Amino acid sequence: MARMVRQSLVKFDAPLCETIIDTPKPQAREVLVRIERCGLCHSDLHIQDGYADLGGGKKLDTTRGMTLPFTLGHEIAGVVDEVGADAPGGLVGKKVAVFPWIGCGQCRDCLAGDENLCVKQRFLGVSIDGGFATHVLVPDAKYLLDYDPLPVNQAATLMCSGVTAYGALKRLVDRPRQRNLLLIGLGGVGMMGLSFAQAMFKQNITVADLSPAARETALKNGAANAYDPSEPDVVKRMLKESDGGFDGVVDFAGNEKSMAFAVSTVARGGKIVVSGLMGGQFTLPMVQWVYKRMTIEGFMVGTLAEAKELMALARAGKVKPTPMKEEPMADVQKWIEELRAGKVVGRIVLKN
């Protein structure tokens, strides 16, 4: 039997290491995908740590139900190698992107199409083995998306950073106030958001990030304005230059400082969508919330239907590719450390 090579989590808060097992045999509707590319996401770091930061010294344990060794990675694209007896046989040899946010398929959220909300979820690379490997076993062929004629790197990253950014921005579409839009945090998801926002909104897009390199990259890729949140009096300047603040704000960082910045720059009657998971705790005086008449919505990842919408837009050439860097799968731990240190602009995509 062929061997499957994995970059495995064998201990929480420790480096990944290579493990080798027999390649699994797909059963029933399962599909075995030979992985060509897998993106590196900031949430992979949280899973490796074994917790998420709740602020105030508190931590959310993310290790429950996980069996080690475990394979991280959820931005997957590859080729169908083998299918189970109940899966379509014509899939073998097809190039596909893999939707990883898979639910139990039986609860009310799954039946409503919201598998990404399922409490008994089977997310690839989060609760069942994912994409930092030569192969991945996908529970059902319905989670495979045709990505031709897109580059394989772009197809892989659409499955997390893409559908997260797209879904977050969708929460701002069709609002009555559409003067302007601010994107906070220009990591892999934020850069995707900048690309999609230009296709989804007519107004100019403003960005904010602590990194000069990220701001410069954003300006080269279509941002109208870029601000450094750490500059003195930057909020006052932004409120003046935006005529009272931003009607729509997406916080792709999701920490205490980024949320405080979002609240200070949102216009009266505006909406903030928070999709970052850097962590911490945020408080807001009730009077300020009511006075500004602001809406705040949390958002994590999109649905399978939204992934298909996004893939259709990308295949039609309506969204621009974002900055990516391709690296060997065997070097994943090196790039995890670079990402932790804030030295990555755009997305790292790992290649087998």
Side-chain angles (χ1 to χ4, degrees):
M1 182 175 288
R3 297 192 309 168
M4 175 173 163
V5 180
R6 311 174 298 179
Q7 303 301 319
S8 296
L9 178 65
V10 297
K11 182 181 178 183
F12 292 105
D13 196 24
L16 305 186
C17 66
E18 184 174 286
T19 62
I20 300 174
I21 61 169
D22 289 338
T23 304
K25 187 89 172 166
Q27 306 294 322
R29 293 189 57 81
E30 292 177 339
V31 178
L32 182 69
V33 175
R34 174 168 44 85
I35 298 169
E36 293 189 321
R37 302 291 190 279
C38 186
L40 174 61
C41 179
H42 206 280
S43 59
D44 292 317
L45 278 58
H46 297 309
I47 301 168
Q48 183 182 41
D49 293 340
Y51 69 89
D53 180 14
L54 295 177
K58 297 180 180 179
K59 298 178 180 180
L60 174 66
D61 183 6
T62 60
T63 67
R64 190 177 304 170
M66 292 180 65
T67 301
L68 303 183
F70 184 79
T71 309
L72 304 174
H74 50 266
E75 291 188 339
I76 304 166
V79 179
V80 177
D81 257 8
E82 192 175 354
V83 301
D86 299 328
L91 285 174
V92 175
K94 293 278 188 181
K95 294 186 175 183
V96 295
V98 181
F99 180 78
W101 312 110
I102 300 169
C104 69
Q106 299 175 346
C107 68
R108 67 177 185 178
D109 287 322
C110 287
L111 295 175
D114 296 320
E115 292 189 62
N116 53 326
L117 301 180
C118 179
V119 296
K120 298 179 181 179
Q121 45 88 358
R122 299 174 291 167
F123 296 170
L124 296 175
V126 178
S127 57
I128 63 175
D129 285 330
F132 294 164
T134 53
H135 297 80
V136 65
L137 195 62
V138 182
D140 195 298
K142 70 179 182 180
Y143 302 111
L144 307 181
L145 283 70
D146 184 2
Y147 66 80
D148 184 64
L150 299 178
V152 63
N153 285 0
Q154 185 183 5
T157 56
L158 289 179
M159 295 297 95
C160 176
S161 56
V163 75
T164 298
Y166 176 71
L169 288 164
K170 272 188 68 175
R171 272 67 191 168
L172 297 175
V173 172
D174 297 329
R175 285 180 56 79
R177 295 171 180 258
Q178 294 282 346
R179 293 178 308 136
N180 49 24
L181 177 64
L182 171 65
L183 308 181
I184 301 172
L186 295 170
V189 182
M191 285 294 183
M192 283 276 191
L194 173 60
S195 174
F196 301 159
Q198 293 171 73
M200 297 169 69
F201 298 89
K202 294 180 180 179
Q203 62 264 43
N204 289 336
I205 312 301
T206 296
V207 299
D209 196 279
L210 296 171
S211 164
R215 295 196 301 272
E216 181 181 353
T217 300
L219 289 170
K220 289 179 179 178
N221 284 273
N225 305 288
Y227 293 95
D228 179 354
S230 67
E231 283 187 6
D233 297 322
V234 67
V235 170
K236 185 182 296 184
R237 181 159 62 92
M238 290 175 70
L239 292 176
K240 181 179 179 181
E241 294 175 358
S242 63
D243 190 24
F246 294 87
D247 293 331
V249 180
V250 183
D251 180 4
F252 288 118
N255 59 39
E256 296 172 29
K257 290 183 178 180
S258 65
M259 268 301 291
F261 185 72
V263 168
S264 66
T265 53
V266 71
R268 292 186 69 188
K271 180 175 181 178
I272 301 168
V273 179
V274 190
S275 73
L277 285 170
M278 291 184 69
Q281 191 175 65
F282 175 74
T283 59
L284 177 66
M286 295 302 297
V287 172
Q288 185 181 7
W289 194 332
V290 174
Y291 175 74
K292 293 192 80 168
R293 292 179 296 174
M294 72 178 78
T295 301
I296 301 177
E297 180 177 350
F299 180 81
M300 191 170 175
V301 295
T303 64
L304 178 58
E306 287 172 331
K308 291 177 178 178
E309 292 172 9
L310 175 59
M311 185 63 79
L313 283 174
R315 293 176 70 189
K318 294 182 179 180
V319 293
K320 297 185 296 185
T322 57
M324 297 181 197
K325 185 176 182 181
E326 190 176 282
E327 297 292 342
M329 182 74 73
D331 290 344
V332 59
Q333 185 57 44
K334 169 189 172 181
W335 290 104
I336 285 175
E337 293 165 5
E338 292 288 297
L339 186 58
R340 283 189 191 279
K343 296 180 180 179
V344 174
V345 175
R347 208 64 157 177
I348 296 296
V349 182
L350 303 159
K351 176 183 178 181
N352 273 316

